Amino acid sequence: MGKFAFIIHPLSAKDVSRKFAFTKNWPDKYVESALKYIPPFTVSHITGIESPLAKSEGWFIACPLTSRQMVEMPEAYVMKKIIKAAKMAEKLGAKVVGLGAFTSIVGDAGLTIAKNVNIAVTTGNSYTVATALEGTRQAARQMGIDLERAGVTVLGATGSIGAACAQILAREVRYLTLVARHEVKLEKLAGQILQSTGLAVKVTANTKAALKSADIVIAVTSAVDSIIEPEDLKPGAIVCDVARPRNVSRRVAELRNDVLVIEGGVVEVPGAVNFGFNFGFPPGTSYACMAETMILSLEQRYDNFSLGRDLTVKQVETINKLAHKHGFKLAGFRSFERALTGEEIDRIKTNAAAKLDIKERVFV
């Protein structure tokens, strides 16, 4: 039987109440102050994962720091705490440990952690890329958007997930815009894409301008706060929000019934899985990054995977094949913690068409 662990952490102070209900009404600063003194701990034992070919069990291990703390506190302190969590996974008998949310971003994206433990380490980013792109392709078909002719924008394009998404999309689209803060890194990535695919992509650090003209957005920045607001998007736009915490403001769902926002990387896990912990998903489903760790354990492939800032297209293709082999698949569309039906997507499509029709009549 395969054995794995996955390190989680509260995205915000409010998430702490999922495990410790008594903190529900505490001010954020009190919660974050308390977290500094709590060592990593086992959250739950994960059972019931069973593919047609193998079985696996695992553990959720908490690294008790919020996203903001991981960004703002000294890197050495944060890394030490993550390494302690990974060593706990090793003691439990896990053969591979996955790094969830900001634990995969701090420092060098898992490389240092891998050097400090005697088990395999992965960020789960390769399967996150595969599922985000698969979900985007499906959403485009349902919204009647021709992906090849659409204006596609990747936010956070110089990160490991964003860069891999960009490299794969460059094979499939004609109009690709890459957005990130560091223009030198953007230019380097654009040059690599031109050399490997022949596509000349646009690059910019101006997020708002790039969003205005985008038909499809892949959002995967490591921003702590939301960066996409209702006024940023054109009617009929699709946003695949891969980031945690989310890049898309909840106000988009409240005010824009003509755009489709989907969560990236939500998958069905084979078997009768019991996570033993409620992280806000329906039973039997998980984030793709979690699923990658499960897939590697089912395959008993206990070597480091998806580490560092440079994912390869081959890694994405490899983990996607293994996912299909073991029965993992997309869990439909979700948006802001709830499932989206085909009828709802049709309404979004109709609302977008109506708004575009009004605009055309105004400017005639």
Side-chain angles (χ1 to χ4, degrees), residues 33-81:
S33 179
L35 289 177
K36 294 178 186 177
Y37 302 100
I38 300 175
F41 59 91
T42 303
V43 175
S44 67
H45 182 208
I46 304 166
T47 60
I49 301 171
E50 184 172 359
S51 86
L53 301 169
K55 297 180 181 181
S56 184
E57 66 173 344
W59 296 268
F60 277 140
I61 296 173
C63 181
L65 292 173
T66 66
S67 303
R68 192 177 301 280
Q69 286 178 299
M70 289 198 174
V71 170
E72 295 179 354
M73 294 183 73
E75 184 178 295
Y77 171 85
V78 176
M79 289 293 292
K80 186 176 180 180
K81 205 159 189 176

Short mmCIF file of all heavy atoms in Angstrom, two decimals, residues 33-81:
data_model
loop_
_atom_site.label_atom_id
_atom_site.label_comp_id
_atom_site.label_asym_id
_atom_site.label_seq_id
_atom_site.Cartn_x
_atom_site.Cartn_y
_atom_site.Cartn_z
N SER A 33 -0.96 35.51 16.20
CA SER A 33 0.02 35.53 17.29
C SER A 33 0.12 34.16 17.94
O SER A 33 1.22 33.67 18.23
CB SER A 33 -0.39 36.58 18.33
OG SER A 33 0.53 36.60 19.41
N ALA A 34 -1.02 33.51 18.14
CA ALA A 34 -1.02 32.17 18.75
C ALA A 34 -0.37 31.14 17.84
O ALA A 34 0.35 30.24 18.31
CB ALA A 34 -2.45 31.76 19.08
N LEU A 35 -0.58 31.26 16.51
CA LEU A 35 -0.04 30.29 15.57
C LEU A 35 1.48 30.22 15.61
O LEU A 35 2.07 29.17 15.34
CB LEU A 35 -0.50 30.62 14.15
CG LEU A 35 -1.99 30.39 13.83
CD1 LEU A 35 -2.29 30.84 12.40
CD2 LEU A 35 -2.37 28.92 14.01
N LYS A 36 2.12 31.32 15.91
CA LYS A 36 3.59 31.36 15.95
C LYS A 36 4.17 30.33 16.92
O LYS A 36 5.29 29.85 16.74
CB LYS A 36 4.08 32.75 16.35
CG LYS A 36 3.76 33.86 15.36
CD LYS A 36 4.25 35.19 15.90
CE LYS A 36 3.84 36.35 15.01
NZ LYS A 36 4.26 37.65 15.59
N TYR A 37 3.39 30.00 17.95
CA TYR A 37 3.91 29.15 19.02
C TYR A 37 3.41 27.71 18.92
O TYR A 37 3.77 26.88 19.76
CB TYR A 37 3.54 29.75 20.38
CG TYR A 37 4.07 31.15 20.55
CD1 TYR A 37 3.24 32.25 20.35
CD2 TYR A 37 5.40 31.37 20.88
CE1 TYR A 37 3.73 33.54 20.48
CE2 TYR A 37 5.90 32.65 21.01
CZ TYR A 37 5.06 33.74 20.81
OH TYR A 37 5.55 35.02 20.93
N ILE A 38 2.61 27.41 17.91
CA ILE A 38 2.08 26.06 17.76
C ILE A 38 2.97 25.27 16.80
O ILE A 38 3.17 25.70 15.65
CB ILE A 38 0.63 26.08 17.23
CG1 ILE A 38 -0.28 26.85 18.20
CG2 ILE A 38 0.10 24.66 17.02
CD1 ILE A 38 -1.69 27.02 17.68
N PRO A 39 3.51 24.14 17.20
CA PRO A 39 4.33 23.33 16.28
C PRO A 39 3.45 22.60 15.27
O PRO A 39 2.23 22.49 15.46
CB PRO A 39 5.02 22.35 17.22
CG PRO A 39 4.07 22.19 18.36
CD PRO A 39 3.41 23.54 18.54
N PRO A 40 4.03 22.10 14.19
CA PRO A 40 3.26 21.29 13.24
C PRO A 40 2.60 20.10 13.95
O PRO A 40 3.13 19.57 14.93
CB PRO A 40 4.31 20.81 12.24
CG PRO A 40 5.38 21.85 12.31
CD PRO A 40 5.42 22.27 13.75
N PHE A 41 1.44 19.69 13.44
CA PHE A 41 0.72 18.58 14.07
C PHE A 41 -0.07 17.80 13.02
O PHE A 41 -0.39 18.32 11.94
CB PHE A 41 -0.21 19.07 15.18
CG PHE A 41 -1.26 20.05 14.72
CD1 PHE A 41 -2.52 19.63 14.30
CD2 PHE A 41 -0.99 21.42 14.72
CE1 PHE A 41 -3.49 20.53 13.89
CE2 PHE A 41 -1.96 22.33 14.31
CZ PHE A 41 -3.21 21.89 13.89
N THR A 42 -0.37 16.55 13.34
CA THR A 42 -1.17 15.72 12.45
C THR A 42 -2.64 16.12 12.56
O THR A 42 -3.20 16.16 13.65
CB THR A 42 -1.04 14.23 12.82
OG1 THR A 42 0.35 13.87 12.78
CG2 THR A 42 -1.80 13.35 11.85
N VAL A 43 -3.25 16.41 11.42
CA VAL A 43 -4.65 16.84 11.38
C VAL A 43 -5.58 15.64 11.27
O VAL A 43 -6.59 15.54 11.97
CB VAL A 43 -4.90 17.81 10.21
CG1 VAL A 43 -6.37 18.17 10.08
CG2 VAL A 43 -4.05 19.06 10.35
N SER A 44 -5.25 14.70 10.36
CA SER A 44 -6.13 13.55 10.15
C SER A 44 -5.41 12.43 9.42
O SER A 44 -4.36 12.65 8.79
CB SER A 44 -7.37 13.97 9.35
OG SER A 44 -7.01 14.33 8.03
N HIS A 45 -5.98 11.25 9.51
CA HIS A 45 -5.51 10.07 8.78
C HIS A 45 -6.43 9.90 7.57
O HIS A 45 -7.65 9.85 7.72
CB HIS A 45 -5.57 8.84 9.69
CG HIS A 45 -5.08 7.59 9.05
ND1 HIS A 45 -5.52 6.33 9.41
CD2 HIS A 45 -4.18 7.37 8.05
CE1 HIS A 45 -4.92 5.42 8.69
NE2 HIS A 45 -4.10 6.02 7.84
N ILE A 46 -5.86 9.81 6.38
CA ILE A 46 -6.64 9.72 5.14
C ILE A 46 -6.70 8.27 4.69
O ILE A 46 -5.67 7.62 4.50
CB ILE A 46 -5.99 10.59 4.03
CG1 ILE A 46 -5.85 12.03 4.52
CG2 ILE A 46 -6.81 10.53 2.75
CD1 ILE A 46 -4.94 12.88 3.65
N THR A 47 -7.91 7.76 4.53
CA THR A 47 -8.09 6.35 4.16
C THR A 47 -9.02 6.22 2.95
O THR A 47 -9.68 7.17 2.54
CB THR A 47 -8.69 5.55 5.33
OG1 THR A 47 -9.97 6.13 5.67
CG2 THR A 47 -7.79 5.59 6.55
N GLY A 48 -9.06 5.01 2.38
CA GLY A 48 -10.05 4.69 1.35
C GLY A 48 -9.66 5.04 -0.07
O GLY A 48 -10.48 4.92 -0.98
N ILE A 49 -8.42 5.48 -0.31
CA ILE A 49 -7.99 5.78 -1.68
C ILE A 49 -7.68 4.47 -2.38
O ILE A 49 -6.81 3.70 -1.94
CB ILE A 49 -6.75 6.70 -1.68
CG1 ILE A 49 -7.05 8.01 -0.96
CG2 ILE A 49 -6.29 6.96 -3.11
CD1 ILE A 49 -5.83 8.87 -0.71
N GLU A 50 -8.40 4.19 -3.45
CA GLU A 50 -8.23 2.92 -4.15
C GLU A 50 -8.46 3.10 -5.64
O GLU A 50 -9.56 3.43 -6.08
CB GLU A 50 -9.21 1.88 -3.59
CG GLU A 50 -9.03 0.50 -4.20
CD GLU A 50 -9.88 -0.56 -3.53
OE1 GLU A 50 -10.58 -0.23 -2.55
OE2 GLU A 50 -9.83 -1.72 -3.98
N SER A 51 -7.41 2.89 -6.41
CA SER A 51 -7.51 2.94 -7.87
C SER A 51 -7.74 1.52 -8.37
O SER A 51 -7.70 0.56 -7.59
CB SER A 51 -6.22 3.51 -8.46
OG SER A 51 -5.24 2.50 -8.65
N PRO A 52 -7.98 1.34 -9.66
CA PRO A 52 -8.12 -0.02 -10.18
C PRO A 52 -6.87 -0.88 -9.98
O PRO A 52 -6.93 -2.10 -10.10
CB PRO A 52 -8.38 0.21 -11.68
CG PRO A 52 -8.95 1.59 -11.76
CD PRO A 52 -8.25 2.35 -10.69
N LEU A 53 -5.74 -0.23 -9.65
CA LEU A 53 -4.47 -0.95 -9.61
C LEU A 53 -3.79 -0.97 -8.25
O LEU A 53 -2.89 -1.77 -8.02
CB LEU A 53 -3.49 -0.31 -10.62
CG LEU A 53 -3.96 -0.29 -12.08
CD1 LEU A 53 -3.04 0.59 -12.90
CD2 LEU A 53 -4.00 -1.70 -12.64
N ALA A 54 -4.19 -0.06 -7.34
CA ALA A 54 -3.44 0.05 -6.08
C ALA A 54 -4.28 0.77 -5.02
O ALA A 54 -5.32 1.35 -5.32
CB ALA A 54 -2.13 0.80 -6.32
N LYS A 55 -3.76 0.72 -3.78
CA LYS A 55 -4.39 1.43 -2.66
C LYS A 55 -3.36 2.34 -2.00
O LYS A 55 -2.16 2.12 -2.12
CB LYS A 55 -4.93 0.44 -1.63
CG LYS A 55 -6.04 -0.46 -2.14
CD LYS A 55 -6.50 -1.41 -1.03
CE LYS A 55 -7.60 -2.34 -1.53
NZ LYS A 55 -8.07 -3.25 -0.45
N SER A 56 -3.88 3.34 -1.29
CA SER A 56 -2.97 4.25 -0.59
C SER A 56 -3.65 4.82 0.64
O SER A 56 -4.88 4.88 0.72
CB SER A 56 -2.53 5.38 -1.53
OG SER A 56 -1.58 6.21 -0.88
N GLU A 57 -2.83 5.21 1.60
CA GLU A 57 -3.32 5.94 2.77
C GLU A 57 -2.36 7.09 3.04
O GLU A 57 -1.22 7.10 2.56
CB GLU A 57 -3.41 5.02 3.98
CG GLU A 57 -2.05 4.52 4.46
CD GLU A 57 -2.13 3.74 5.76
OE1 GLU A 57 -3.16 3.84 6.45
OE2 GLU A 57 -1.13 3.06 6.10
N GLY A 58 -2.84 8.07 3.80
CA GLY A 58 -1.98 9.21 4.06
C GLY A 58 -2.41 10.01 5.27
O GLY A 58 -3.29 9.61 6.04
N TRP A 59 -1.79 11.16 5.42
CA TRP A 59 -2.05 12.04 6.55
C TRP A 59 -2.03 13.49 6.09
O TRP A 59 -1.21 13.88 5.24
CB TRP A 59 -0.99 11.85 7.63
CG TRP A 59 -0.96 10.49 8.24
CD1 TRP A 59 -1.61 10.05 9.34
CD2 TRP A 59 -0.23 9.35 7.74
NE1 TRP A 59 -1.35 8.72 9.57
CE2 TRP A 59 -0.50 8.27 8.61
CE3 TRP A 59 0.62 9.15 6.65
CZ2 TRP A 59 0.04 7.01 8.41
CZ3 TRP A 59 1.16 7.89 6.45
CH2 TRP A 59 0.88 6.84 7.32
N PHE A 60 -2.93 14.29 6.66
CA PHE A 60 -2.82 15.73 6.56
C PHE A 60 -1.99 16.20 7.76
O PHE A 60 -2.27 15.82 8.91
CB PHE A 60 -4.19 16.41 6.62
CG PHE A 60 -4.92 16.45 5.31
CD1 PHE A 60 -6.29 16.22 5.27
CD2 PHE A 60 -4.26 16.75 4.13
CE1 PHE A 60 -6.98 16.27 4.08
CE2 PHE A 60 -4.94 16.80 2.93
CZ PHE A 60 -6.31 16.56 2.90
N ILE A 61 -0.99 17.02 7.47
CA ILE A 61 -0.17 17.59 8.53
C ILE A 61 -0.26 19.11 8.43
O ILE A 61 -0.10 19.68 7.34
CB ILE A 61 1.29 17.14 8.41
CG1 ILE A 61 1.36 15.63 8.60
CG2 ILE A 61 2.17 17.85 9.42
CD1 ILE A 61 2.72 15.05 8.32
N ALA A 62 -0.52 19.75 9.55
CA ALA A 62 -0.68 21.21 9.56
C ALA A 62 0.64 21.91 9.85
O ALA A 62 1.36 21.52 10.78
CB ALA A 62 -1.72 21.63 10.58
N CYS A 63 0.93 22.90 9.04
CA CYS A 63 2.01 23.85 9.34
C CYS A 63 1.29 25.14 9.75
O CYS A 63 0.83 25.90 8.89
CB CYS A 63 2.88 24.07 8.11
SG CYS A 63 4.26 25.20 8.42
N PRO A 64 1.15 25.40 11.03
CA PRO A 64 0.24 26.45 11.50
C PRO A 64 0.77 27.88 11.32
O PRO A 64 1.20 28.53 12.28
CB PRO A 64 0.03 26.10 12.98
CG PRO A 64 1.21 25.32 13.36
CD PRO A 64 1.69 24.60 12.14
N LEU A 65 0.70 28.34 10.08
CA LEU A 65 0.97 29.74 9.74
C LEU A 65 0.01 30.12 8.61
O LEU A 65 -0.26 29.29 7.73
CB LEU A 65 2.41 29.93 9.25
CG LEU A 65 3.54 29.75 10.27
CD1 LEU A 65 4.88 29.82 9.56
CD2 LEU A 65 3.46 30.79 11.38
N THR A 66 -0.51 31.33 8.62
CA THR A 66 -1.38 31.79 7.54
C THR A 66 -0.54 32.17 6.31
O THR A 66 0.69 32.32 6.40
CB THR A 66 -2.21 33.00 7.96
OG1 THR A 66 -1.34 34.12 8.18
CG2 THR A 66 -3.01 32.71 9.22
N SER A 67 -1.22 32.37 5.19
CA SER A 67 -0.53 32.79 3.97
C SER A 67 0.23 34.09 4.20
O SER A 67 1.39 34.24 3.78
CB SER A 67 -1.55 33.00 2.84
OG SER A 67 -2.30 31.84 2.62
N ARG A 68 -0.40 35.03 4.86
CA ARG A 68 0.25 36.32 5.11
C ARG A 68 1.50 36.15 5.97
O ARG A 68 2.54 36.76 5.71
CB ARG A 68 -0.74 37.28 5.77
CG ARG A 68 -0.26 38.73 5.81
CD ARG A 68 -1.31 39.64 6.41
NE ARG A 68 -2.55 39.60 5.67
CZ ARG A 68 -2.76 40.27 4.55
NH1 ARG A 68 -1.80 41.04 4.05
NH2 ARG A 68 -3.92 40.20 3.92
N GLN A 69 1.41 35.30 6.98
CA GLN A 69 2.58 35.07 7.82
C GLN A 69 3.72 34.45 7.03
O GLN A 69 4.89 34.79 7.22
CB GLN A 69 2.20 34.16 9.00
CG GLN A 69 1.38 34.86 10.08
CD GLN A 69 0.98 33.91 11.19
OE1 GLN A 69 0.28 32.94 10.94
NE2 GLN A 69 1.44 34.17 12.40
N MET A 70 3.39 33.52 6.12
CA MET A 70 4.43 32.86 5.34
C MET A 70 5.15 33.84 4.42
O MET A 70 6.33 33.67 4.11
CB MET A 70 3.83 31.71 4.54
CG MET A 70 3.44 30.54 5.41
SD MET A 70 3.22 29.01 4.49
CE MET A 70 2.94 27.86 5.83
N VAL A 71 4.45 34.86 3.99
CA VAL A 71 5.04 35.87 3.12
C VAL A 71 5.82 36.92 3.92
O VAL A 71 6.91 37.34 3.52
CB VAL A 71 3.95 36.56 2.27
CG1 VAL A 71 4.52 37.76 1.53
CG2 VAL A 71 3.34 35.58 1.28
N GLU A 72 5.28 37.31 5.07
CA GLU A 72 5.83 38.45 5.79
C GLU A 72 6.85 38.09 6.87
O GLU A 72 7.70 38.91 7.20
CB GLU A 72 4.69 39.25 6.42
CG GLU A 72 3.75 39.89 5.38
CD GLU A 72 2.60 40.66 6.01
OE1 GLU A 72 2.46 40.60 7.26
OE2 GLU A 72 1.86 41.32 5.25
N MET A 73 6.78 36.88 7.41
CA MET A 73 7.72 36.50 8.47
C MET A 73 9.08 36.12 7.86
O MET A 73 9.16 35.83 6.67
CB MET A 73 7.15 35.35 9.28
CG MET A 73 5.91 35.72 10.08
SD MET A 73 5.28 34.38 11.10
CE MET A 73 6.53 34.35 12.39
N PRO A 74 10.14 36.11 8.66
CA PRO A 74 11.46 35.74 8.13
C PRO A 74 11.43 34.37 7.45
O PRO A 74 10.90 33.41 8.00
CB PRO A 74 12.35 35.73 9.38
CG PRO A 74 11.69 36.67 10.32
CD PRO A 74 10.22 36.51 10.08
N GLU A 75 12.02 34.31 6.26
CA GLU A 75 11.97 33.08 5.48
C GLU A 75 12.58 31.90 6.23
O GLU A 75 12.05 30.78 6.17
CB GLU A 75 12.69 33.28 4.14
CG GLU A 75 12.61 32.09 3.22
CD GLU A 75 13.30 32.33 1.89
OE1 GLU A 75 12.84 33.21 1.13
OE2 GLU A 75 14.31 31.65 1.62
N ALA A 76 13.67 32.12 6.94
CA ALA A 76 14.34 31.04 7.66
C ALA A 76 13.40 30.42 8.70
O ALA A 76 13.38 29.19 8.88
CB ALA A 76 15.60 31.55 8.33
N TYR A 77 12.63 31.26 9.39
CA TYR A 77 11.69 30.77 10.40
C TYR A 77 10.60 29.93 9.75
O TYR A 77 10.26 28.84 10.23
CB TYR A 77 11.07 31.95 11.15
CG TYR A 77 9.93 31.56 12.07
CD1 TYR A 77 10.18 31.12 13.36
CD2 TYR A 77 8.61 31.62 11.64
CE1 TYR A 77 9.15 30.74 14.21
CE2 TYR A 77 7.56 31.24 12.47
CZ TYR A 77 7.83 30.82 13.76
OH TYR A 77 6.80 30.44 14.58
N VAL A 78 10.04 30.42 8.66
CA VAL A 78 8.97 29.71 7.97
C VAL A 78 9.47 28.38 7.42
O VAL A 78 8.81 27.34 7.56
CB VAL A 78 8.38 30.58 6.84
CG1 VAL A 78 7.32 29.81 6.05
CG2 VAL A 78 7.78 31.86 7.40
N MET A 79 10.64 28.40 6.80
CA MET A 79 11.20 27.17 6.24
C MET A 79 11.45 26.12 7.32
O MET A 79 11.19 24.92 7.12
CB MET A 79 12.51 27.48 5.51
CG MET A 79 12.34 28.24 4.21
SD MET A 79 11.50 27.25 2.94
CE MET A 79 12.74 26.00 2.63
N LYS A 80 11.93 26.56 8.46
CA LYS A 80 12.19 25.63 9.57
C LYS A 80 10.90 24.94 10.00
O LYS A 80 10.90 23.73 10.27
CB LYS A 80 12.81 26.40 10.74
CG LYS A 80 13.26 25.51 11.89
CD LYS A 80 13.95 26.33 12.97
CE LYS A 80 14.39 25.44 14.13
NZ LYS A 80 15.07 26.24 15.20
N LYS A 81 9.82 25.69 10.01
CA LYS A 81 8.54 25.13 10.44
C LYS A 81 8.01 24.13 9.40
O LYS A 81 7.45 23.09 9.74
CB LYS A 81 7.54 26.25 10.68
CG LYS A 81 6.44 25.89 11.66
CD LYS A 81 5.79 27.13 12.25
CE LYS A 81 4.85 26.77 13.38
NZ LYS A 81 4.28 27.96 14.04
#
